[in-house]
Structures are given as C-alpha cells and as structure tokens.
C-alpha cells in the first residue's frame, strides 16, 4: 500500500482569535508553573535579538517538563499557538510570535544524569551551557558546541537553532552532538527519538500508534525526496538553513532527533535531550595571524585547515576599530599583530608542548607561501581568553558605535565552503558598495572562517519605507549570491523569519514543498511557532522598527542622553537582545544583572526592562503598554533594578538602565509626589537630613533613641523602609574635623580637593581622616569645601531629578574656582565620584564646569598612580579580597587600584561577586530585602566567611561595607583602600568601631519627612 504524504503547510493562519482571559484561567488551574498574561510580561517577551516583534498571547514558565505537557494540552483545547523558547537570543525572529511562550530558563534547568563512560548526559531544556559545563567539569567532559552567548544561552535554544560557535571547528554543530530527544507534538504525542535501526523501526510500526504513523510518513518523505536532498543540500560544514532532511537518509541512520534539531520550535517541543560529550582539552595555544585585508585572510583558511585547529576565527580591522571606539577589550587589542584583518587559530591537546608544536608546524607551512602573515603567538591562558573576547564581542562591538549609523542583523549568518570564502567576501563587499551600505568604517566582517561562516551587522535603514524596501532587495540579492556559491543562508542562527521566505532560492521549490510536508506530518494545524521557516511571514513583516514605527519621543527630559542624540526613544532602542544580562556567573568580573541573577525573571533583566521601555513609547498600535510614563507595569519592572550601573559597561550595547530608571521615575511621579513611596523622601533626602542633624548637633540623641528596643522598629515603619541596621551618625563629621586639622607634609605636589561625600562625611569620617593622612604623606596639600555640599546621588537614584540638578548646580559653583585652576577632586565614595564622571555630564552635557569636573574627578588610587609621579605606597605584605563597588566597576574602573595594591605588596583578589545587593537606597526600600540579601549570599558573603582571618576585605563602597556589617559576614568588616594604606604609615591608626547590635540612622530617616516638609528647596 502506498502511503500518501500530507499536503504541505503553505500559508500561516491569521492571528488566532483566543479568549485570553479564559485561556489564562485554564492554564493557571492546570499548570503548576507560573502563568503570566499581564501587560508587562507580554511586553518583555515581544521580541528577541532580531529585527522582528510580535506581542505574545501570554507566557508560561513551567516547573517541569510534565508541566509543559499540560500547558500544551490547554493550548490545544483553545486552538492557541505555542512557541518554546530558550534564552531568547535568536537573531532571525524565531523567538517572537503571537503565541503562548514557554520559557524554560527559570525552573527546567537540571542536569538529570551523566554517563561518563558513554560520554553522554541528559538535560532539561532550560539549562545554560556554561552552567552545564561547570557541572560536567569533574568528569573531564563537556558539551562541544559553544556559541558566543555561552554564558546565557540554553541547551533547548541551542537545539532549536542548531547552534555551533567557534568550537564547532572541532566538535561540529549541535546536530552532531545530540544522541536522543524527548519531544512533544502539538497533538500531545510524546516520545524519545534518535537514530533508528530497521529493527527499531519495525517495533515502532507494530505499535500502530501516532508515533508509528509519523515514522511511516517520515520514511515515505525521505524516500520520495532522497535524490533531491542529496543533490540540493549544500555539502559544507555550516549548512543550517532549512530542516535537516538529510538526517533521515539511510546513510545517516534514520536519525529523527537529528531531523528535529534546528527546527526552531516549528515541529515539536523538546522536553529533554541526551547529549554527546567530548573530552576537555587541558592545553591550548592561540596564534593570531595578521593580513592586509579580510578577503586575503580568508584565502589563507584552506592552507590552515589541514593542521586541524580546534577553532579558526576571522575578524577585520573595522571590528577592531569599533571595539576601540567603545573601549572594549583594550589589553587584548594591544596584543594583535600588524594588519587590517586577522585569523585567530587555536590548537588544543593534552600538553602545551603538543599544541605549541602543531602551531609551529602550521607557521612553518605558511612561511614563504602566499599566506604568510604577521604573527602573535600566545600560550598564556589569561591572555588567550582576553583575545578570544575580541571575537566573542563581535555583535556588541558593532551595535550602536559612536558616530556611526545603527547596524542590524538580517544577513548576519551566511556560510559557504571554506575554499570559496575569500571569493564570497569580495563579492559581498561589492554588494555592500552597490547598496550604499559600505564605508571606511563598516560593515565589519568576522566569523567562523574555518567553516566558512560569516557574521556581520549592516546599516540597514529600517526606519523608513524606502529603507525597508532597500533592505528587502539587498536580502534577495545576497541570497542569490550565496546560492550561486553553493552556500547556506544561515550558518548557525537559523532561518526564522529573516531567511524563511528566501529558502526557495537555496533549495528549490521541490525541497521547500518537502519542508511544508514535514511540517504537516508533525504539526498539521500549524500551531507550533507558525510563520517561521515554513509558510513564513515576509522578511519585511512584523518589523520591530519599520516605516510605520512612530514612538513617542518626549522632549522634557532631565537627562540629555548625549550618546542617543538627546532621544529617550533611541536610548530605549539600544538593547539588541543578546541577553548578556541573563548570565548567572560573574566570576569574570561582570556585575550585570543582579536582579536577574537572583530572580531568574526576564522582566527583571536589563533586556526585559529595555523591552518594556521600548513598548511604553507605543511605537506600534498593538503595544501592551499604553499609558506611557504613568505605566505601573514599567514601574514594577524597574522596581527591582538596583541601579547598579553594571549594564552601563557590561552590556555590549551600552544600555544604562540606572539612568533610564531615574528618568522614568521623575516623569512617573511628576505632578503627584504624594504617590511616591515614603522611602523616596527618607532615603532620597538623606543628605539634607544628615546636614540638619549636624547643624542641630543631634547625632548622640538620635543614635541613643534608635538603640532603644521598640523605638527603632517604629522609626523604620514611619520612614517606610525595611527593618535593617544602618550605620550611626558620626559625632563629628569629616568637615568638622578638617576645620581643626593641621596640615602635615610639605604639599610639594600641589593642592588636591578631597570631596566630603555624605556617606564618608557623616557616617564614616574615619575613612576621610585616613585619606587625608595618606594624601599628605604622598606630598599633596589637601583642601575641602567648608559649606555643606552634595553630589545629588540619592535624589538621582530615587528619580527626584529636578532637585538633583539644583544640588549639582550648587556643587559645581562651589567647586568651580578649584576646577578653573586645574585642581583635581578626589572622591572616596565610588558612587559619588561616578556621579561626577557620568551622571552630571549626562544631565548637563554642555556645561563647561561640569565637563571640567568630569575630567578632574579621580579616585584615590588614580591620584596616587596616575598623578603622583614617583609615589611609593607603604609596603603592606598583606592578602586581600576586594568587593569592587558596582559604580566603580561601571564608570571608574579598578585598574588603578590593582596597580596601587601591587605596588604596596598586597595580593588582592577581585571577587567575582557582582553587586553586594544593598546598592544605596535599594536594599533599604520596602519589599527589597529578600533580593538584596540573595545578591549578597550569591558569592560575596560565602567568600568573606571562608576567607582567612588575616585577609583584608576591601570595600570602598559605603553600601558594600554596610551589607557586610549587617549580614552574615562571619564578623568581618569592610576596609576602605585609604584605611589599608594608612595602616602602613608611621604612627597610630584608628581602630574600627565595634559591631553594634542595632543600627541607628533609622531615627534620622523617620525625621526626614519632617525635614523635607520644612525645606521646599534643596539645601
């Protein structure tokens, strides 16, 4: 009997008409996981890392694979489409749809089993690749493919896209590394699949169930199209476009799992995966080859491949220049050899001698050949990792480069045979020139050259109808070019919507029909991620921008957003969706994003918040957020933003969520201050309170009151803050002490102004006194403002920007005489110094004195290392662990501190702990304690408790020291750099005050409301 194949799915259905209220209720009743149909969640999931945008019906966060099975059952009953999503970093639009989105990444993250002998493991789809490999480390095995997003991509997403990465040179694509999949169809059919022998196929046939029907149809499809598959499928390392119809061929073992890898949630939902593992190569060496241009570098690839590198990447000088413009990876870039294009060739093995010999053999073979290059040879793992970051930063480096047009994905992933790569790059560059996209600064070309895969971002004009039409014409011409070269439109990112429409050019009408029939076998009703790959939406449909995008562009801004042309809309559009903010590990020194690290919530990541701000501007008529600055959904998403500024430096697109949050809060409460939480006044006006306490000489009284049992809790309740310990007011402020201080030393280096920030001056003046001692010992004459001054930080962080600007204007006037003489301003509190270097210039970009303050404000370490020639710190012979303040990480940097500590013989470890969790006012605000403490317990507190008693805990930030003081730090206190240096000077050092059982600013916070009521203007 001849089995008829189903007709192909030929067109996507209209947007589903679904009763969302009833659907949400049914899901909540039957699914143990989280079910979210609120406007904030729908906004956060409205796009991925692509050019496309579709608002989902709702989001389900399953707690287990079985939970997802029940969610699909409910969806089936309501006729609702489903999109199964991993990390949401897809670049072709496959992770955005008007569907129920299954987000696996919060709960379904288990490594269920490992068979080290068989070199396999079973995982749930939400586990992050880096986390999987960390857990596998004890076995000496790892999962081979490693995309540049390895710190945040999930295995489910990798399976959906058939991901690769640089390591695919050695290990192949994901399809080459999957043994079996447990899958679920839209109709509820569930089974494990993999390679299928004839005997196994016969056993499946005998069951006569829905799986048997699927397998029969798959065999029929394979047999009908086998000849065309063998003829039309490109025989190149990186054929990722289309469905893997070659996997069911007899020579490939009728591999149904292989068929489903790369199907982008359009055929099945993956519940579990059995993965093949590879041994970890302990020894690696990296050779960087410099060439005159990128096409010449590509020409050398075939000569290098016989030497079997484990990775072979290419980058051009434009990518290098973009990174230099954005101050990315400066140390690594200094190690690059001469040239305008580079091949990064990595060898791996068991011993360093082995891999070095292989590298030397390659160089000998290239010598005196047409492919000889300038060489940088590295076998230091630390330097290799830094250089590798140059390549991995490609997407971020080419997005939003200062002074250049915005660039976009779309044709970011094409691949050809390696021996045709040079030819392709020359023709692609000519196409750029023909369409007006080429300039001396871009587009940059880079990628996995050893497998012929090219990455790029192109300055498409996706803002106008004409620009979108030109984008379409370019995509069609580029597809013709790759098809003519026997290549693949996608080399690892998948087709989604960007390339689905173009597949007939690559495969022909016959195989595209076969794709449609395959879709009909698994999903005849087109309910799995409809409109992607098969019967796709047009490549210029559902654009995130587009000719009709018309966002609100508010003009009454407080921050001026100078890097975004003064446009909040452009600032909100910065996020490119790469998801770096979703990484869980900060051991590399990154901070972003602490709220996501402890909640696992998309809405509480930098990316999620950026999506909500984008939707808030209502550039499309279907935005789920329609109330602009008054949006409660946006406010709630920003509520758990710690304003740590980690994203300002860690985000490859330079998103600055702390600034966006402050701007939003200023407008959200504008004209209705009574809606603000009380903590905005008690914490925001803390500098005013501190100055009032000083004038009234009330510190002893308030400190005594807040030590009284019962009164302290009443005070925090009245202040609207958490019941937390807060440091006591100092009996004598730093400015009061300095007024009677007799200068020491000769002041031969000149005069420096020590900034008396509120936290140092009113709570920890001992740090300021130590700093004066160190500065005078270093040969500086120290001066300090006599009048009450403030940088405005607390008003900025609570979004009271009108007051903050008045405070800053007054401060700049006070500092102007010193600044006009070229004098430096030394900050001890990193967050306040960061205001001078970042927030103030963004609030007053045209003010010359603000610019002077930005350029002349320095940290203590910067003054002593960069502005004090010949200075030698005291030799301390100590060990330290350093909790670097988030704002110092983001704005100021810690390199000067590292150099100063090395000069002082301090063996200092930069803790990869991210944010301490207090983050200024954040940890004191109602409802934040749990997140605040979870941030501290993630890395910081365990490391401090485990530290040797003689190890110094460096913490320059007031917040960091407060968090250490209050929480379970094993009795350890934080030490400021100034105190550490002062301890090595001759003469007595001040002892640390004893740890108190109760904190004491609570009374002052309770009094703050009254102080603010009396003061209509800033002090």
């Amino acid at each position: 009997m001849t089995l008829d194949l189903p007709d192909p799915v030929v067109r996507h259905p209209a947007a589903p008409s679904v009763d969302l209220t009833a659907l949400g209720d049914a899901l909540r009743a039957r699914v143990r996981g989280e079910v979210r149909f609120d406007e904030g969640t729908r906004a956060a999931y409205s796009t991925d890392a692509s050019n496309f945008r579709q608002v989902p019906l709702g989001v389900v966060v399953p707690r287990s694979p079985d939970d997802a099975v029940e969610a699909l059952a409910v969806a089936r009953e309501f006729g609702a489409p489903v999109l199964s999503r991993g990390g949401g970093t897809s670049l072709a639009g496959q992770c955005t749809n008007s569907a129920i989105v299954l987000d696996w990444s919060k709960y379904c993250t288990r490594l269920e089993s490992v068979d080290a002998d068989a070199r396999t493991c079973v995982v749930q789809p939400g586990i992050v690749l880096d986390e999987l490999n960390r857990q596998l480390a004890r076995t000496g095995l790892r999962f081979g493919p490693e995309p540049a997003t390895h710190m945040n991509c999930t295995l489910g997403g990798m399976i959906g896209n058939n991901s690769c990465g640089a390591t695919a040179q050695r290990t192949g694509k994901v399809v080459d590394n999957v043994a079996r999949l447990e899958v679920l169809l839209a109709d509820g059919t569930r089974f494990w699949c993999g390679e299928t022998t004839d005997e196994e196929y016969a056993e499946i046939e005998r069951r006569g169930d829905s799986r048997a029907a699927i397998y029969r149809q798959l065999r029929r499809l394979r047999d009908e199209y086998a000849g065309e598959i063998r003829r039309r499928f490109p025989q190149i390392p990186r054929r990722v476009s289309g469905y893997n119809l070659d996997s069911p061929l007899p020579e490939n073992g009728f591999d149904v799992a292989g068929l489903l890898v790369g199907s982008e949630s359009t055929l099945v939902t993956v519940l579990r995966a059995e993965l093949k593992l590879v041994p970890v190569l302990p020894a690696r060496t990296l050779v960087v080859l410099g060439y005159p241009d990128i096409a010449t570098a590509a020409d050398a690839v075939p000569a290098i491949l016989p030497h079997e590198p484990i990775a072979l990447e290419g980058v051009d000088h434009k990518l290098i220049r973009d990174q230099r413009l954005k101050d990315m990876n400066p140390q690594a870039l200094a190690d690059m050899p001469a040239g305008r294009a580079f091949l990064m060739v990595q060898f791996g093995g068991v011993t360093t001698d082995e891999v070095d010999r292989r590298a030397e053999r390659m160089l000998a073979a290239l010598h005196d050949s047409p492919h000889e290059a300038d060489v940088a040879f590295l076998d230091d793992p630390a330097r290799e990792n830094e250089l590798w970051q140059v390549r991995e930063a490609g997407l971020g480096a080419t997005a939003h480069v200062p002074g250049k047009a915005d660039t976009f994905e779309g044709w970011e992933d094409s691949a050809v045979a390696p021996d045709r790569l040079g030819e392709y790059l020359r023709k692609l560059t000519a196409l750029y020139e023909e369409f007006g996209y080429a300039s001396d600064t871009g587009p940059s070309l880079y990628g996995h050259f050893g497998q012929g895969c090219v990455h790029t971002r192109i300055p498409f004009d996706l803002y106008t109808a004409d620009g979108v039409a030109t984008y379409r014409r370019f995509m069609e011409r580029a597809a013709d070019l790759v098809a003519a070269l026997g290549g693949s439109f996608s080399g690892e990112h998948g087709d989604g919507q960007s390339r689905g429409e173009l597949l007939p050019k690559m495969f022909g009408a016959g195989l595209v029909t076969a794709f449609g029939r395959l879709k009909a076998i698994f999903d005849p009703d087109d309910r799995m991620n409809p409109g992607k790959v098969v019967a796709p939406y047009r490549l210029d449909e559902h654009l995130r921008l587009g000719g009709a995008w018309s966002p609100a562009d508010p003009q009454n801004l407080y921050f001026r957003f100078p890097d975004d042309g003064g446009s909040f809309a452009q600032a909100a559009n910065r996020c490119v969706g790469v998801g770096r903010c979703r990484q869980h590990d900060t051991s590399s020194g990154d901070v972003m994003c602490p709220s996501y690290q402890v909640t696992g919530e998309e809405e509480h990541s930098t990316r999620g918040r950026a999506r909500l701000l984008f939707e808030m501007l209502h550039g499309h008529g279907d935005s789920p957020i329609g109330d602009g600055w008054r949006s409660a959904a946006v406010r709630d998403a920003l509520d758990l933003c710690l304003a740590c500024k980690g994203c300002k430096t860690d985000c490859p697109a330079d998103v600055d969520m702390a600034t966006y949050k402050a701007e939003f809060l200023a407008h959200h409460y504008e004209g209705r201050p009574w809606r603000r939480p009380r903590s905005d006044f008690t914490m925001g006006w803390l500098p005013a309170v501190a100055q009032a306490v000083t004038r009234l000489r009330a510190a002893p009284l308030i400190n005594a009151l807040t030590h009284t049992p019962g009164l302290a809790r009443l005070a925090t309740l009245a202040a609207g803050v958490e019941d937390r310990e807060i440091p006591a007011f100092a009996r004598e402020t730093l400015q009061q002490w300095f007024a009677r201080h007799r200068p020491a030393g000769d002041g031969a280096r000149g005069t420096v102004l020590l900034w008396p920030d509120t936290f140092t001056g009113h709570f920890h003046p001992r740090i300021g006194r130590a700093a004066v001692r160190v500065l005078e010992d270093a040969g500086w004459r120290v001066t300090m403002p006599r009048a009450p001054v403030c940088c405005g930080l607390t008003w900025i962080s609570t979004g009271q920007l009108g007051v903050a600007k008045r405070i800053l204007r007054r401060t700049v006037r006070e500092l102007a005489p010193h600044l006009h003489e070229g004098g430096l301003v030394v900050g001890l509190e990193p967050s306040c110094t960061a205001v001078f270097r970042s927030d103030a210039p963004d609030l007053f970009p045209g003010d010359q004195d603000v610019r002077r303050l930005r350029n002349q404000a320095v940290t203590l370490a910067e003054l002593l290392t960069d502005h004090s020639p010949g200075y030698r710190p005291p030799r301390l012979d100590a060990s330290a662990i350093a909790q670097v303040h988030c704002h110092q990480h983001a704005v100021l940097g810690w390199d000067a501190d590292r150099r100063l500590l090395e000069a002082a013989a301090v063996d200092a470890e930069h803790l990869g702990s991210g944010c301490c969790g207090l983050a200024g006012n954040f940890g004191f605000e109602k409802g934040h304690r749990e997140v605040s403490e979870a941030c501290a317990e993630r890395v910081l507190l365990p490391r401090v408790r485990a530290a040797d008693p003689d190890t110094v805990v460096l913490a320059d930030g007031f917040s960091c020291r407060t968090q250490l003081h209050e929480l379970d730090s094993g009795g350890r206190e934080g030490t400021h750099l100034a105190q550490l240096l002062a301890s090595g000077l001759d003469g007595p050092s001040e002892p640390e005050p004893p740890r108190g059982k109760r904190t004491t600013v609570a009374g002052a916070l309770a009094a703050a409301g009254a102080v603010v009521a009396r003061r209509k203007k800033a002090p």
Side-chain angles (χ1 to χ4, degrees):
M1 181 180 69
T2 302
L3 178 68
D4 290 332
L5 288 170
D7 292 333
V9 174
V10 294
R11 64 179 180 87
H12 60 79
S17 178
V18 178
D19 183 337
L20 294 185
T21 300
L23 174 61
D25 289 344
L27 285 166
R28 292 184 191 96
R30 293 166 56 179
V31 173
R32 290 179 52 250
E34 298 167 15
V35 177
R36 302 173 184 167
F37 279 63
D38 61 282
E39 60 187 30
T41 297
R42 295 173 67 226
Y45 286 80
S46 61
T47 188
D48 48 14
S50 73
N51 296 326
F52 304 99
R53 169 192 173 275
Q54 290 177 270
V55 179
L57 304 180
V59 175
V60 173
V61 185
R63 290 185 179 272
S64 68
D66 288 342
D67 224 11
V69 174
E70 193 62 31
L72 259 72
V74 175
R76 183 166 60 253
E77 294 168 12
F78 280 80
V82 174
L83 162 60
S84 182
R85 196 186 92 147
T89 59
S90 293
L91 289 154
Q94 57 266 57
C95 278
T96 176
N97 215 322
S98 296
I100 298 171
V101 175
L102 294 180
D103 184 349
W104 297 91
S105 61
K106 184 174 182 180
Y107 297 118
C108 297
T109 59
R110 289 183 56 208
L111 168 60
E112 293 192 346
S113 64
V114 180
D115 186 335
D117 293 333
R119 293 184 180 175
T120 61
C121 69
V122 175
V123 300
Q124 294 179 350
I127 191 168
V128 170
L129 176 60
D130 273 3
E131 179 59 28
L132 170 63
N133 283 331
R134 272 193 292 274
Q135 293 187 39
L136 290 171
R138 60 184 174 79
T139 69
L141 302 171
R142 59 172 290 131
F143 187 64
E146 185 178 275
T149 54
H150 52 85
M151 70 290 294
N152 57 277
C153 67
T154 68
L155 266 295
M158 292 177 67
I159 291 166
N161 284 354
N162 196 8
S163 299
C164 304
T167 57
Q169 188 73 38
R170 171 197 175 206
T171 64
K173 306 186 292 285
V174 165
V175 70
D176 305 310
N177 293 271
V178 168
R180 296 188 305 148
L181 296 175
E182 185 185 17
V183 299
L184 177 69
L185 278 61
D187 68 1
T189 301
R190 178 179 181 179
F191 56 83
W192 279 91
C193 58
E195 291 190 17
T196 312
T197 66
D198 290 342
E199 293 76 17
E200 289 168 336
Y201 178 83
E203 176 59 30
I204 293 168
E205 271 274 359
R206 280 193 291 273
R207 293 175 190 158
D209 54 12
S210 55
R211 181 188 182 191
I214 290 167
Y215 273 54
R216 283 196 299 271
Q217 289 180 314
L218 289 180
R219 270 210 170 181
R220 176 74 178 86
L221 183 75
R222 178 199 70 181
D223 294 343
E224 180 165 328
Y225 290 95
E228 199 166 358
I229 294 168
R230 294 185 179 103
R231 185 172 63 255
R232 292 297 301 257
F233 266 51
Q235 299 302 306
I236 61 174
R238 287 294 188 98
R239 196 280 308 155
V240 169
S241 279
Y243 291 133
N244 294 334
L245 292 182
D246 52 340
S247 290
L249 294 175
E251 57 266 33
N252 295 321
F254 195 64
D255 185 357
V256 178
L259 170 69
L260 297 174
V261 168
S263 57
E264 304 178 18
S265 185
T266 62
L267 302 180
V268 298
T269 293
V270 175
L271 301 176
R272 290 179 176 85
E274 182 180 344
L275 308 176
K276 303 173 186 177
L277 306 176
V278 298
V280 172
L281 298 178
R284 299 188 179 197
T285 194
L286 179 66
V287 179
V288 185
L289 306 174
Y291 290 94
D293 61 76
I294 194 64
T296 301
D299 291 338
V301 167
I304 295 171
L305 289 176
H307 299 279
E308 298 183 341
I310 63 170
L312 174 46
E313 303 289 287
V315 298
D316 69 1
H317 74 285
K318 296 175 182 178
L319 176 62
I320 300 299
R321 179 164 49 192
D322 288 350
Q323 296 201 23
R324 286 185 173 135
L325 284 171
K326 299 178 77 170
D327 196 28
M328 299 172 71
N329 306 307
Q331 294 178 333
L333 295 178
D335 288 332
M336 301 295 278
R340 290 172 61 81
F342 308 92
L343 294 179
M344 303 172 66
V345 190
Q346 188 173 58
F347 294 93
V350 177
T351 68
T352 301
D353 287 344
E354 171 196 349
V355 294
D356 285 352
R357 284 195 302 270
R358 292 174 61 192
E360 288 162 358
R361 284 196 295 269
M362 177 199 71
L363 292 175
L366 294 179
H367 182 60
D368 287 337
S369 79
H371 309 300
E372 187 170 12
D374 196 80
V375 177
F377 196 119
L378 295 167
D379 57 9
D380 176 359
R383 305 305 288 170
E384 284 185 46
N385 289 337
E386 290 171 9
L387 267 175
W388 215 245
Q389 291 172 14
V390 173
R391 164 57 193 89
E392 289 192 346
L395 188 153
T398 54
H400 305 298
V401 177
K404 294 175 57 176
D406 287 345
T407 59
F408 298 91
E409 48 282 333
W411 198 253
E412 83 297 335
D413 188 33
S414 51
V416 297
D419 59 5
R420 303 199 74 173
L421 182 58
E423 176 187 3
Y424 173 52
L425 293 180
R426 292 180 178 91
K427 291 181 176 179
L428 180 60
T429 300
L431 201 61
Y432 288 158
E433 293 170 352
E434 178 185 339
F435 277 80
Y437 295 139
S439 71
D440 59 345
T441 60
S444 60
L445 294 165
Y446 59 99
H448 312 295
F449 279 21
Q451 295 193 315
C453 183
V454 179
H455 294 324
T456 184
R457 287 177 66 90
I458 301 171
F460 297 126
D461 171 12
L462 297 183
Y463 299 94
T464 68
D466 286 346
V468 171
T470 302
Y471 149 75
R472 164 174 279 281
R473 289 196 302 272
F474 173 87
M475 292 286 287
E476 291 170 345
R477 289 283 302 282
D480 290 336
L481 171 59
V482 168
L485 292 173
S488 176
F489 301 162
S490 171
E492 66 179 331
H493 297 159
D495 297 315
Q497 190 174 337
S498 285
R499 294 170 280 271
E501 182 187 353
L502 302 172
L503 292 180
K505 292 176 177 288
M506 177 176 165
F507 291 102
L511 285 180
V512 170
T513 297
F515 293 158
R517 285 178 161 172
L518 179 67
K519 168 80 166 172
I521 291 171
F522 282 95
D523 181 30
D525 295 326
D526 199 17
R527 286 291 179 256
M528 297 299 299
N529 205 12
K532 314 295 176 173
V533 186
V534 165
Y537 296 114
R538 299 187 312 273
L539 61 84
D540 51 5
E541 192 175 2
H542 298 307
L543 290 173
R544 187 168 61 88
L545 302 176
W549 181 59
S550 184
D553 197 8
Q555 299 300 304
N556 58 333
L557 300 174
Y558 293 92
F559 283 98
R560 306 315 301 167
F561 299 98
D563 294 331
D564 295 292
S567 169
F568 187 80
Q570 288 302 317
N573 191 35
R574 269 190 170 270
C575 177
V576 295
V578 70
R580 183 82 179 265
C581 50
R582 288 170 51 95
Q583 64 181 337
H584 295 269
D585 179 52
T586 54
S587 59
S588 64
D590 285 358
V591 167
M592 177 179 73
C593 172
S595 55
Y596 177 79
Q597 288 156 9
V598 299
T599 67
E601 298 281 355
E602 175 72 19
E603 196 171 336
H604 296 306
S605 69
T606 305
R607 182 179 71 180
R609 296 181 179 112
R611 296 308 189 216
L612 267 77
L613 291 170
F614 179 87
E615 293 294 327
M616 179 194 78
L617 298 175
H618 212 63
H620 298 280
D622 64 342
S623 174
I625 297 176
D627 44 358
W629 292 121
R630 299 300 198 209
S631 170
V634 176
R635 181 201 63 207
D636 292 346
L638 290 169
D639 180 57
L640 289 188
C641 170
L642 284 79
C644 68
K645 286 188 177 289
C647 50
K648 184 176 177 66
T649 189
D650 296 340
C651 172
D654 303 318
V655 169
D656 183 359
M657 194 53 62
T659 296
Y660 305 168
K661 176 180 180 178
E663 186 73 38
F664 172 84
L665 291 176
H667 295 283
H668 184 73
Y669 293 113
E670 200 158 38
R672 48 178 196 168
W674 59 87
R675 288 186 176 271
R676 283 184 175 273
R678 290 198 305 278
S679 59
D680 275 11
F681 299 105
T682 55
M683 298 301 300
W685 286 76
L686 182 59
V689 174
Q691 292 166 16
V693 169
T694 298
R695 286 195 301 271
L696 298 172
R697 300 179 181 179
L701 173 62
I702 290 176
N703 291 344
L705 288 174
T706 53
H707 275 84
T708 302
L711 291 181
R713 181 59 182 143
L714 289 174
T716 55
L717 287 171
V721 298
E722 291 280 5
D723 183 25
R724 297 190 64 135
E725 293 186 29
I726 306 173
F729 282 108
R731 290 172 177 265
E732 181 182 50
T733 70
L734 179 60
Q735 284 171 295
Q736 289 173 329
W737 170 82
F738 191 77
R740 61 179 178 79
H741 169 68
R742 292 185 177 181
D746 57 12
R749 293 188 186 276
T751 299
V752 66
L753 186 147
L754 183 63
W755 175 251
D757 66 85
T758 296
F759 306 104
T760 303
H762 291 270
F763 299 106
H764 290 174
R766 61 187 181 276
I767 290 172
R769 295 193 291 267
V772 170
R773 193 168 172 224
V774 170
L775 292 171
E776 290 179 340
D777 177 76
W780 289 95
R781 179 69 66 227
V782 180
T783 187
M784 190 179 296
R786 293 187 177 183
V789 288
C790 182
C791 68
L793 170 69
T794 57
W795 285 282
I796 292 172
S797 61
T798 53
Q800 300 178 77
L801 297 181
V803 179
K805 293 184 80 167
R806 293 200 299 272
I807 295 286
L808 268 169
R809 286 192 188 100
R810 182 172 299 177
T811 291
V812 172
R813 286 198 301 270
E814 179 74 22
L815 298 180
H818 180 75
L819 296 171
H820 293 170
E821 294 176 356
L824 297 175
V825 177
V826 178
L828 298 176
E829 170 56 40
S831 56
C832 297
T833 313
V835 169
F836 294 153
R837 296 260 282 261
S838 178
D839 298 283
D842 286 349
L843 288 164
F844 303 103
D847 188 302
Q848 288 297 333
D849 282 338
V850 171
R851 292 180 182 178
R852 292 184 179 102
L853 179 57
R854 176 193 63 197
N855 296 332
Q856 292 165 226
V858 296
T859 66
L860 177 63
E862 288 172 338
L863 179 78
L864 296 176
T865 57
D866 300 336
H867 300 279
S868 305
Y871 170 72
R872 293 184 178 180
R875 184 176 180 87
L876 299 172
D877 292 314
S879 296
I881 52 177
Q883 170 63 18
V884 178
H885 190 285
C886 299
H887 291 192
Q888 179 158 6
H889 165 80
V891 177
L892 310 171
W894 199 67
D895 286 344
D897 299 69
R898 189 189 308 278
R899 286 184 277 125
L900 182 60
L901 290 165
E902 288 175 356
V906 177
D907 181 12
E909 176 193 355
H910 182 327
L911 285 178
S913 49
C915 182
C916 74
L918 191 59
N921 52 290
F922 176 85
F924 296 113
E925 293 170 343
K926 277 290 185 185
H928 292 174
R929 183 163 188 159
E930 184 178 351
V931 169
S932 174
E933 293 184 359
C935 288
E937 283 290 352
R938 195 178 62 84
V939 175
L940 172 61
L941 293 179
R943 286 298 312 277
V944 171
R945 291 193 293 264
D948 186 276
D950 294 331
T951 298
V952 177
V953 182
L954 274 175
D956 282 3
F958 176 81
S959 292
C960 306
R961 294 192 302 275
T962 301
Q963 195 81 317
L964 287 168
H965 177 81
E966 178 180 343
L967 301 183
D968 183 12
S969 63
R972 307 297 298 276
E973 298 285 352
T975 299
H976 194 283
L977 176 65
Q979 295 172 293
L980 180 61
L981 293 174
S983 71
L985 301 178
D986 293 336
S989 296
E990 294 188 51
E992 284 291 326
R995 287 173 69 95
K997 293 185 178 180
R998 184 73 208 172
T999 56
T1000 55
V1001 171
L1005 296 178
V1011 173
V1012 173
R1014 291 197 303 269
R1015 300 175 64 90
K1016 299 297 185 183
K1017 295 184 178 181

